[in-house]
Amino acid sequence: MPCDFVYRPGLWVSGVLPFKSKLGRTGNMQAIQTTYEGYRFRSRLEARWAVFLDSLRTRWSYEVEGFNLQGVWYLPDFWVADWNVWIEIKGPPATEEELNKCHLLSEGSRKKVLLLSGEPWTDQDKNNYDVTLFTPENPDHNGTSGWEFGQGRR
């Protein structure tokens, strides 16, 4: 199903992010805006992923295109031209609503979507993130990882 494409440069929304701690506590935390490579990221986590993408020597753009997904406006975090993929960043594991948005983005844009939840690096230099792949070619497998490490290396 097609979606409307809308270019919205300079869109900026500050937000409060829900979180769940390792101890199971829940609450809200204010995202800390961070500037990197001329982009103003909504959070430090998004900026860390930009550094990670740079370490892979890939070309990326931040919040370049917005979409109308069945009446819901959506602005993916990254477009990675080298991979022909949208990337969405989340701190805590994604909600059903966020997973559905990634599915709709993949379906509507006819592009793959990677949902990355967590930090790209940790103190132990291990990956501490989950990867969820959404693909328009095989939507029955959306929500599963397309890589051997599945839930990341922990």
Side-chain angles (χ1 to χ4, degrees):
M1 119 183 354
C3 59
D4 298 325
F5 300 98
V6 177
Y7 179 63
R8 298 179 358 180
L11 176 69
W12 190 254
V13 178
S14 292
V16 176
L17 304 175
F19 74 91
K20 183 173 183 180
S21 74
K22 291 181 180 179
L23 299 175
R25 298 185 188 117
T26 59
N28 292 317
M29 65 180 176
Q30 184 69 36
I32 299 172
Q33 299 173 6
T34 304
T35 301
Y36 172 72
E37 291 295 321
Y39 290 93
R40 189 166 80 173
F41 293 92
R42 296 177 195 245
S43 70
R44 285 186 178 172
L45 181 61
E46 291 174 345
R48 286 184 190 118
W49 279 104
V51 171
F52 181 82
L53 291 171
D54 278 348
S55 75
L56 298 176
R57 296 187 177 152
T58 187
R59 293 176 299 147
W60 55 267
S61 300
Y62 180 69
E63 293 188 341
V64 294
E65 191 170 357
F67 298 87
N68 181 353
L69 304 175
Q70 298 181 354
V72 175
W73 286 104
Y74 185 66
L75 188 63
D77 294 321
F78 292 94
W79 168 250
V80 180
D82 294 339
W83 302 339
N84 198 31
V85 69
W86 294 105
I87 295 180
E88 181 63 26
I89 304 298
K90 297 294 174 197
T95 64
E96 285 299 317
E97 179 182 349
E98 292 165 338
L99 292 170
N100 188 50
K101 286 179 184 177
C102 289
H103 167 75
L104 291 174
L105 176 61
S106 175
E107 187 178 80
S109 69
R110 305 302 301 158
K111 304 288 184 192
K112 291 179 180 162
V113 176
L114 288 176
L115 175 64
L116 304 175
S117 302
E119 295 280 344
W121 291 291
T122 64
D123 292 337
Q124 295 90 15
D125 197 30
K126 293 181 182 177
N127 298 336
N128 193 24
Y129 56 87
D130 294 333
V131 178
T132 308
L133 173 66
F134 297 85
T135 176
E137 296 87 16
N138 198 353
D140 292 338
H141 293 304
N142 284 352
T144 62
S145 173
W147 292 276
E148 292 178 31
F149 54 81
Q151 296 293 313
R153 293 175 287 175
R154 293 199 167 131

